[in-house]
Amino acid sequence: QEQLVESGGGLVQAGDSLSLSCAASGRAFSAKTMGWFRQAPGKEREFVAAIAWMGGSSYYADSVRGRFTISRDNAKHTLNLQMNSLKPEDTAVYYCGASPPWYSGSLFYTQGYDTWGQGTQVTVSS
């Protein structure tokens, strides 16, 4: 089964940039749509961005569009999230998720993903 490990979180100031990575084990990475979600204290896990298995299509939450960029390297089995112009409201634990190849529903909800990493904390100070 796929295993996902996030890295790259940290404490930054508002306006700074941060890059997250998600390393995937297993052979099926290139066949799966991958996504980033985040969860702030006391809130539900929310969609941030997703990218199709070939990397041709990407999707973003309105709150991050224009500031965050999702990308993937299928040869290296890695998923990335470049976060620019960070805001205090971006503070959360960020999770990468893998959607099974057979799934055809919405990618904007956690139900569309069957494998998750342990998360990495991103804290943006004002």
Side-chain angles (χ1 to χ4, degrees), residues 57-75:
S57 298
S58 56
Y59 312 89
Y60 296 93
D62 289 343
S63 58
V64 307
R65 187 176 291 110
R67 299 188 297 123
F68 290 11
T69 302
I70 189 171
S71 63
R72 66 189 296 164
D73 186 332
N74 286 339

Side-chain angles (χ1 to χ4, degrees), residues 28-98:
F29 174 81
S30 60
K32 296 184 177 181
T33 292
M34 301 292 296
W36 285 100
F37 282 68
R38 65 187 182 188
Q39 188 166 16
K43 295 187 177 181
E44 294 187 351
R45 193 171 297 190
E46 66 173 6
F47 172 77
V48 174
I51 187 166
W53 67 283
M54 283 294 290
S57 298
S58 56
Y59 312 89
Y60 296 93
D62 289 343
S63 58
V64 307
R65 187 176 291 110
R67 299 188 297 123
F68 290 11
T69 302
I70 189 171
S71 63
R72 66 189 296 164
D73 186 332
N74 286 339
K76 295 182 178 180
H77 286 204
T78 58
L79 176 73
N80 304 297
L81 185 69
Q82 177 64 40
M83 305 185 293
N84 298 329
S85 302
L86 283 162
K87 304 175 181 180
E89 50 264 44
D90 294 320
T91 295
V93 177
Y94 283 70
Y95 299 89
C96 66

